[in-house]
Amino acid sequence: MSSRLLAVLGCFDLDRPALTLTEIARLSGLPLSTARRVIGELVEWGGLERTPDRRYRVGIRLWQVGSLAPQQRVLSEAALPFMQDLCAATQENVQLAVLDRREALCIEKISSQRAVPTATQVGGRLPLHATGVGKVLLAFSAPAVLKEVVDDGLVALTRHTIIQPGRLAAALEIVREQGVGYSYQEMTLGAVSVAAPILDASGEVRGALGIVTHSRAALRRLAPAVRTAALGVSRRVG
């Protein structure tokens, strides 16, 4: 039964926040009657809730359980004051990401009204090879992570995306030397980013703190502020 529950919950993501019974059955691969029974149990428990248009979405109880994840809670609590200060000082998008398998998972984001609109949302996933936070996480992770990312294939998201393994390895070496990572329109045309690592007392990477802004911005002038904020978070989590 647990595998069926997970199959149903696995149907939901940022692109599919609300689904019908038929859609859940199709995406999960479960028979319609089984999907209906599993959904009923999840609704009764509070893991899913039914909307007025007869769709289902993640319920508050599942969100409450997810919020207890120690890495997200501790890191978010430590980072938020620094993110708020950084956003106030720069008027840009500030985001916090962690490594989740072979992607960067955004766990916090703060934006000012003057910041360039971005598609990144809390809970959204970002490619490691094409974003500032992704490059930082990749640079300070075990070499095996880079091998897995390369083996999966480096997808060209724009004409600026680094898709050559050798070039990516060289770029990550610079990230380690400078303590900051950059992305110049490599994920989205018109958007650039700079990020710095959050390290614990043993030197292990816990996350990456970054700014996303318009391509006309002087990105390297923002780097010291991002680096300082990330060091502040590192001291709190260390």
Side-chain angles (χ1 to χ4, degrees), residues 186-201:
E186 295 168 46
M187 179 176 169
T188 306
L189 291 176
V192 296
S193 62
V194 57
I198 297 169
L199 307 173
D200 63 19

Side-chain angles (χ1 to χ4, degrees), residues 50-61:
R50 193 174 184 180
T51 64
D53 61 354
R54 301 173 66 86
R55 291 174 178 268
Y56 297 92
R57 63 189 179 192
V58 172
I60 189 67
R61 190 165 183 185

